[in-house]
Amino acid sequence: MDDSGDGGTVRIGLPEPVPTIMDTRKAADDGAHNFRVISTLTTFNREGAVEPHLATDWSFENDGSELVMDLREDVVFHDGSEFNAEHVKWHMTDFLANGGGTSYIVSKVDDVVVEDEYRARVNFSSPDPYILWDLASAWGQIHSREAVEKYGDEYGQSGKVVSAGPFKEVEHDTSHAILERFEEWDWPKPWEEEVYDVDAEIRPKRLEYEAYEETATRTSAFEAGDVDGLIAGVPYSKYPNYQESDEYNTGTPPASTEQIFIMLNLNPETSTAPVLAEDLSLRKGISYAIDRQQIVDIVFNGVGEPAPNYLVPTVDAHDIPEEYNYTYDLEKARSVMSENGWTVNPDGVSTKNGREARFTLLTQNTELSRRRATLIKEQLKDIGVVMEVSTTDTSTFKEDVGSGNFAAGMSTFYDWGNADQLWWAVSEDAEDSYYFNSNAWQQFPKATEITNRAQNATTLEERTQRYKEAHKYLLEDVVPVIYLMYPKAADAWGDHVGHWKPHYKGAPMWPVESEEW
């Protein structure tokens, strides 16, 4: 580690490659290094709620058809260009609007009026109360207009990334990224000020990220001292050892937006197990019979939380009456099935109208996926449900799920901390052939109606209430998905690094000080 006396160098191990392009329009990335460089108008606190950042205050006016944003007056980009309302207008009406993955954020934005140097009024074609969440996400990241115009198609490549974050990008490729402290930075996010209430420079002089895709290589580098910490890259099998060791400090974020779930194909004409698609009581029985806490404890060594419903706890619409949630209750699983005509035959298999409760779970061929599937298979035997497991590669998994050639598929979704996923899961207007191909709209037209109504709400309060109603309906009357757990990314640092806190996405804030500096 560099012993320069003015902040030093921190070396961080990453579990996946660094994206080659740091241009939000082409590829959004919310990796640990990215948010150190690129700022946003709004931000997430450590629990996942939206808070001010470059936009210090805002209000929706004229029945939600306009959004007025007040901006910080002391912000400059890494290239010295100024941040102001004109820049926000360009950001929304040009940069985001013309991005391959960003245009959805501003799809309802008609225009942005510059009312003052640091006040912008966003005019909507129809109200968009959730734009504040989108602007805080990786897709909403804000870049220097001068740099974007200067570099043209090369913007986002190594050495050509300019924003207003606490660090400047020096270089990057798929294996590493080097950042240097931006000395003019003086606009920390509110939660950073709260967490770092210490009399110290809260940033090292230099951050060096190294990508180690192989778990063994990554942990060996950490244990050998080649990197000072691992961000979201500690294998669950290693986490208890690091927790117990005096050489390391460990932590997990206070909240998670990662979700592991089983999507169910509700179209009996394409499902490989029509009985699962047609029988609601079977889907409910399975939902009650899965011991999610056991999955957390055995597969993830306790790092994560059971998922009782379809939204993460950071989303307001997650908070619904307890009777709608699915928690492990073997007796309830048996009763909901027996009350609807299911009986267990001499072979121990639940049967109804001559059909057995059998289906195949399609899952990708990874160690964690296989272990989860094996555990669920054993749990479902307690209610006479026979679940076979078919492992496949990612491309085949996508093809089968996309075409509807499956009964159930286990998948993971990262960083979706809002209620829109209910709309994506069941609305015909938001059909997604990979992440949520439940085909629910074909059998339950109300699913489209009720989630579209929530999606089109004009205020946050109205949107939350409508999504709560949609949430309850899907859990009670449809059951298109079975959520299993919210895993958390585990972090570990050498004990010489102090004053760090993991962020809710698993992207921790930078260390403050080190005994070796």
Side-chain angles (χ1 to χ4, degrees):
M1 183 180 292
D2 175 31
D3 190 18
S4 62
D6 60 355
T9 297
V10 174
R11 304 157 303 173
I12 301 169
L14 300 176
E16 54 192 18
V18 175
T20 56
I21 298 294
M22 291 174 67
D23 181 343
T24 310
R25 296 168 299 179
K26 301 175 182 177
D29 173 49
D30 59 0
H33 71 287
N34 195 304
F35 272 114
R36 307 288 80 81
V37 174
I38 306 175
S39 290
T40 48
L41 286 168
T42 55
T43 188
F44 298 114
N45 65 18
R46 295 186 65 239
E47 286 72 37
V50 175
E51 291 191 355
H53 188 208
L54 298 188
T56 59
D57 196 13
W58 53 76
S59 62
F60 286 95
E61 299 181 358
N62 296 327
D63 296 324
S65 63
E66 297 176 356
L67 168 65
V68 179
M69 306 185 80
D70 292 321
L71 312 173
R72 289 193 69 107
E73 301 181 10
D74 55 353
V75 176
V76 294
F77 290 98
H78 301 149
D79 58 2
S81 58
E82 185 182 3
F83 168 78
N84 52 33
E86 286 285 356
H87 192 281
V88 171
K89 178 180 175 70
W90 167 83
H91 177 63
M92 289 191 179
T93 62
D94 188 326
F95 184 85
L96 294 181
N98 293 307
T102 58
S103 60
Y104 78 93
I105 293 178
V106 292
S107 61
K108 296 182 179 180
V109 173
D110 270 347
D111 192 17
V112 177
V113 177
V114 176
E115 293 194 337
D116 197 350
E117 187 173 6
Y118 299 106
R119 170 173 283 199
R121 182 178 295 271
V122 182
N123 295 322
F124 299 113
S125 57
S126 59
D128 186 4
Y130 228 59
I131 193 172
L132 297 173
W133 190 95
D134 289 326
L135 290 173
S137 72
W139 293 106
Q141 294 172 340
I142 199 164
H143 298 254
S144 161
R145 178 177 183 174
E146 290 190 10
V148 169
E149 293 176 347
K150 174 182 177 181
Y151 295 121
D153 291 340
E154 295 182 352
Y155 183 79
Q157 297 179 15
S158 180
K160 298 175 181 178
V161 182
V162 183
S163 187
F167 292 89
K168 297 187 293 186
E169 190 258 0
V170 177
E171 64 180 42
H172 73 272
D173 58 26
T174 56
S175 64
H176 80 294
I178 296 178
L179 315 181
E180 290 183 352
R181 190 165 65 204
F182 180 40
E183 300 296 348
E184 287 75 17
W185 177 85
D186 192 27
W187 39 92
K189 300 174 183 178
W191 46 263
E192 290 166 352
E193 293 177 317
E194 178 182 344
V195 171
Y196 288 124
D197 186 18
V198 293
D199 185 17
E201 167 59 63
I202 65 172
R203 295 167 297 154
K205 185 175 183 180
R206 184 179 174 96
L207 291 176
E208 296 181 356
Y209 294 89
E210 292 290 334
Y212 300 93
E213 294 186 66
E214 294 294 329
T215 300
T217 305
R218 182 167 65 253
T219 54
S220 294
F222 176 55
E223 293 168 8
D226 295 334
V227 294
D228 302 300
L230 297 180
I231 289 179
V234 178
Y236 297 110
S237 59
K238 284 273 191 178
Y239 192 70
N241 297 334
Y242 292 158
Q243 280 183 304
E244 297 169 3
S245 173
D246 294 335
E247 297 180 27
Y248 311 113
N249 293 314
T250 59
T252 60
S256 171
T257 56
E258 182 179 348
Q259 301 147 57
I260 297 175
F261 58 90
I262 298 174
M263 68 187 92
L264 304 176
N265 182 2
L266 301 192
N267 184 350
E269 295 183 2
T270 63
S271 174
T272 57
V275 65
L276 184 61
E278 294 172 346
D279 199 288
L280 175 63
S281 65
L282 176 57
R283 299 196 295 274
K284 285 187 172 184
I286 292 171
S287 299
Y288 285 120
I290 295 177
D291 189 342
R292 295 158 177 81
Q293 187 63 56
Q294 190 178 60
I295 296 173
V296 172
D297 293 340
I298 293 178
V299 181
F300 292 85
N301 271 316
V303 184
E305 299 174 359
N309 61 40
Y310 297 167
L311 296 171
V312 293
T314 58
V315 178
D316 289 339
H318 165 91
D319 188 16
I320 56 177
E322 183 64 30
E323 61 262 29
Y324 291 95
N325 289 336
Y326 288 103
T327 55
Y328 178 60
D329 190 332
L330 202 54
E331 291 307 311
K332 195 166 186 177
R334 289 168 176 159
S335 65
V336 76
M337 290 179 65
S338 63
E339 290 170 3
N340 286 276
W342 289 94
T343 59
V344 179
N345 66 23
D347 294 327
V349 181
S350 289
T351 305
K352 178 181 178 180
N353 297 330
R355 297 197 298 179
E356 294 184 332
R358 294 179 180 270
F359 71 96
T360 296
L361 175 69
L362 186 66
T363 186
Q364 297 174 69
N365 192 18
T366 67
E367 180 185 358
L368 288 177
S369 294
R370 292 193 301 269
R371 292 182 64 194
R372 292 194 298 266
T374 299
L375 192 54
I376 294 170
K377 178 179 180 178
E378 291 301 310
Q379 292 174 351
L380 294 185
K381 289 180 180 179
D382 290 334
I383 58 170
V385 172
V386 179
M387 186 188 84
E388 301 298 336
V389 179
S390 175
T391 58
T392 185
D393 59 88
T394 300
S395 61
T396 303
F397 181 89
K398 288 184 176 181
E399 181 180 348
D400 288 344
V401 170
S403 65
N405 182 32
F406 76 109
M410 184 160 57
S411 190
T412 303
F413 203 96
Y414 299 90
D415 189 29
W416 201 332
N418 70 65
D420 289 355
Q421 67 185 76
L422 299 183
W423 181 70
W424 283 99
V426 301
S427 173
E428 183 176 10
D429 295 334
E431 180 180 348
D432 190 304
S433 62
Y434 170 45
Y435 288 112
F436 294 112
N437 191 21
S438 67
N439 294 308
W441 57 87
Q442 297 176 4
Q443 312 302 319
F444 298 89
K446 185 178 176 180
T448 293
E449 174 189 341
I450 197 169
T451 53
N452 280 1
R453 183 172 181 270
Q455 187 74 358
N456 294 327
T458 60
T459 67
L460 287 173
E461 294 76 13
E462 182 181 55
R463 187 179 192 277
T464 296
Q465 187 56 42
R466 289 182 181 183
Y467 264 123
K468 282 188 176 183
E469 294 305 313
H471 197 186
K472 292 187 290 185
Y473 167 72
L474 294 176
L475 289 162
E476 179 66 20
D477 298 315
V478 184
V479 190
V481 189
I482 299 172
Y483 273 75
L484 302 175
M485 63 171 294
Y486 315 122
K488 291 184 177 181
D491 304 336
W493 293 87
D495 65 354
H496 60 284
V497 177
H499 295 291
W500 60 273
K501 296 286 185 180
H503 191 266
Y504 89 102
K505 292 182 178 181
M509 294 168 274
W510 42 86
V512 175
E513 58 188 3
S514 165
E515 295 176 0
E516 296 187 9
W517 290 355

